[in-house]
């Protein structure tokens, strides 16, 4: 018996009109839809008057459901994989099933479509030639800072997914570790209250503190500067701040904030101050 095909189907991230004609056709044609949340996907199917058997495929049942779906494919069924929103496999379930399908030699067809990361990057106005998708930063500040230390020297534009509950503390940590870089925060993309705020990280932080931003959001941050700031300037500027009455710690913080120089570099320079 000929094995079926696994179709990777992106779905809208807000505006239902963003579904593609090809995805609609595939959803109508397949034998089974594997959905991250079947109730969520049912609303999408109802909107487009599609009736199809569905089964759940989410982070808590991947181990059992993966082999089950592969078995269905090997028995000749065609399956469409969808997540709640956007591209399956991008901060959503999908990668394990895709790997299993490849291992089994099952035909795999991916369809293009919405993904919040790429849309936010393109409208950020920041360089798009090279970029790094970082997904969600860790929720605990200590882990988050450690993760940020690891990408401090990354030159490519950085893309982060973030939740409204954590955006203010994340912005604070990103500012502290990466310095006051240019950034762009897009929330509720393609939805009624869509908004993109562009500016320095310190500006975004104060807006986030003032406005208690809500909804789904993507933060895009420019990569590390190519030219390292001159050593002598940092030291001189630190000295001036200290002579002006600041403690060394305060002077380091101020310089990171004002000049956008990586914190560690300023801190190292502060150790050599007379
Ligand atoms: N697979 C999805 C994709 O391709 O974009 C991402 C799924 S991930 C679980 C959900 C996160 O994506 C949200 O927390 C938010 O960071 C981002 N996101 C999804 N939809 C969005 C939207 N309409 N506007 C802004 N960010 C969005």
């Amino acid at each position: 018996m000929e094995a079926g095909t696994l179709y990777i189907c992106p779905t809208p991230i807000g505006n239902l009109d963003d579904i593609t004609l090809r995805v609609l056709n595939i959803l109508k044609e397949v034998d089974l839809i594997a959905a991250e949340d079947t109730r969520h996907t049912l609303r999408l199917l109802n909107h487009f008057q599609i009736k199809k058997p569905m089964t759940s495929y989410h982070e808590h049942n991947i181990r059992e459901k993966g082999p089950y779906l592969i078995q269905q494919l090997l028995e000749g069924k065609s399956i469409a994989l969808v997540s709640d929103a956007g591209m399956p496999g991008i901060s959503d379930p999908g990668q394990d099933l895709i790997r299993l399908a490849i291992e089994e030699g099952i035909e795999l067809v991916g369809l293009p479509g919405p993904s919040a990361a790429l849309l936010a990057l393109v409208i950020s106005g920041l360089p798009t030639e090279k970029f790094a998708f970082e997904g969600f930063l860790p929720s605990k500040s200590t882990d988050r800072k450690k993760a940020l230390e690891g990408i401090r020297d990354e030159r490519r534009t950085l893309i982060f997914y973030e939740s409204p509950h954590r955006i203010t503390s994340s912005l604070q940590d990103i500012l502290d570790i990466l310095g006051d870089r240019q950034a762009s925060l897009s929330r509720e993309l393609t939805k009624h209250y869509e908004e993109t705020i562009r500016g320095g990280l310190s500006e975004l932080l104060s807006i986030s503190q003032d406005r208690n931003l809500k909804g789904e959001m993507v933060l895009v941050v420019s990569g590390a500067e190519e030219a390292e700031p001159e050593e002598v300037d940092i030291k001189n500027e630190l000295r001036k701040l200290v002579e002006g009455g600041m403690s060394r710690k305060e002077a380091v913080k101020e310089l990171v904030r004002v000049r956008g120089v990586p914190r560690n570099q300023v801190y190292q320079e502060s150790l050599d101050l007379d």
Side-chain angles (χ1 to χ4, degrees):
M1 180 192 290
E2 212 178 303
T5 302
L6 175 62
Y7 296 94
I8 310 303
C9 295
T11 53
I13 57 168
N15 190 327
L16 294 184
D17 285 351
D18 290 332
I19 199 149
T20 71
L21 293 175
R22 248 184 106 201
V23 166
L24 280 180
N25 286 336
I26 295 293
L27 292 177
K28 283 178 196 157
E29 281 165 18
V30 289
D31 298 305
L32 179 66
I33 297 174
E36 182 180 7
D37 177 344
T38 51
R39 277 178 308 176
H40 186 99
T41 300
L42 186 61
R43 287 199 288 274
L44 181 80
L45 297 184
N46 285 343
H47 180 84
F48 291 106
Q49 290 158 6
I50 298 171
K51 275 200 162 72
K52 263 304 140 174
M54 270 197 284
T55 188
S56 68
Y57 179 74
H58 50 68
E59 57 175 326
H60 302 296
N61 70 6
I62 274 175
R63 282 170 65 124
E64 312 91 70
K65 263 306 168 63
Y68 166 78
L69 291 172
I70 293 295
Q71 192 53 40
Q72 297 291 303
L73 286 157
L74 290 172
E75 286 173 13
K77 295 233 173 82
S78 55
I79 298 180
L81 175 69
V82 299
S83 65
D84 286 353
M87 188 62 86
I90 301 296
S91 297
D92 268 343
Q95 277 317 98
D96 288 80
L97 186 61
I98 289 169
R99 215 181 35 246
L100 284 179
I102 293 168
E103 276 167 19
E104 292 293 335
I106 288 164
E107 191 185 359
L108 181 72
V109 176
L111 287 88
S115 186
L118 273 190
L119 181 54
L121 168 70
V122 168
I123 64 174
S124 72
L126 296 171
T128 55
E129 293 82 11
K130 291 184 179 185
F131 56 88
F133 174 63
E134 292 293 325
F136 288 95
L137 281 165
S139 49
K140 271 171 63 187
S141 182
T142 41
D143 299 338
R144 191 157 59 215
K145 284 182 172 159
K146 212 177 281 170
L148 288 163
E149 296 276 357
I151 52 170
R152 200 181 39 216
D153 298 328
E154 174 59 66
R155 298 255 173 90
R156 294 174 291 183
T157 302
L158 302 164
I159 308 171
F160 301 99
Y161 280 166
E162 199 40 274
S163 88
H165 320 290
R166 281 200 293 268
I167 187 64
T168 302
S169 50
S170 283
L171 279 167
Q172 181 68 67
D173 288 346
I174 298 171
L175 175 64
D176 288 348
I177 307 293
L178 303 187
D180 200 1
R181 301 185 187 177
Q182 284 302 300
S184 167
L185 183 67
S186 288
R187 56 178 207 98
E188 297 288 87
L189 285 165
T190 78
K191 301 184 199 175
H192 186 67
Y193 291 107
E194 170 168 357
E195 178 183 34
T196 292
I197 312 165
R198 303 175 185 85
L201 279 167
S202 56
E203 285 174 72
L204 296 192
L205 174 60
S206 74
I207 291 169
S208 176
Q209 284 162 337
D210 290 350
R211 285 187 41 202
N212 185 23
L213 300 170
K214 295 209 166 61
E216 298 196 277
M217 42 190 79
V218 184
L219 179 67
V220 184
V221 179
S222 62
E225 286 288 333
E226 208 152 306
E228 295 291 321
E230 282 178 38
E231 205 175 297
V232 62
D233 280 349
I234 296 178
K235 209 167 282 168
N236 270 344
E237 287 185 35
L238 278 174
R239 193 170 286 121
K240 276 188 217 152
L241 290 172
V242 171
E243 282 168 6
M246 280 189 185
S247 69
R248 276 186 198 204
K249 201 170 159 192
E250 289 166 338
V252 169
K253 203 168 171 194
E254 180 65 4
L255 208 54
V256 170
R257 193 182 72 78
V258 175
R259 293 280 306 268
V261 185
R263 193 188 166 283
N264 247 21
Q265 199 180 341
V266 184
Y267 174 72
Q268 286 302 329
E269 293 286 337
S270 78
L271 298 179
D272 298 339
L273 273 188
D274 312 320

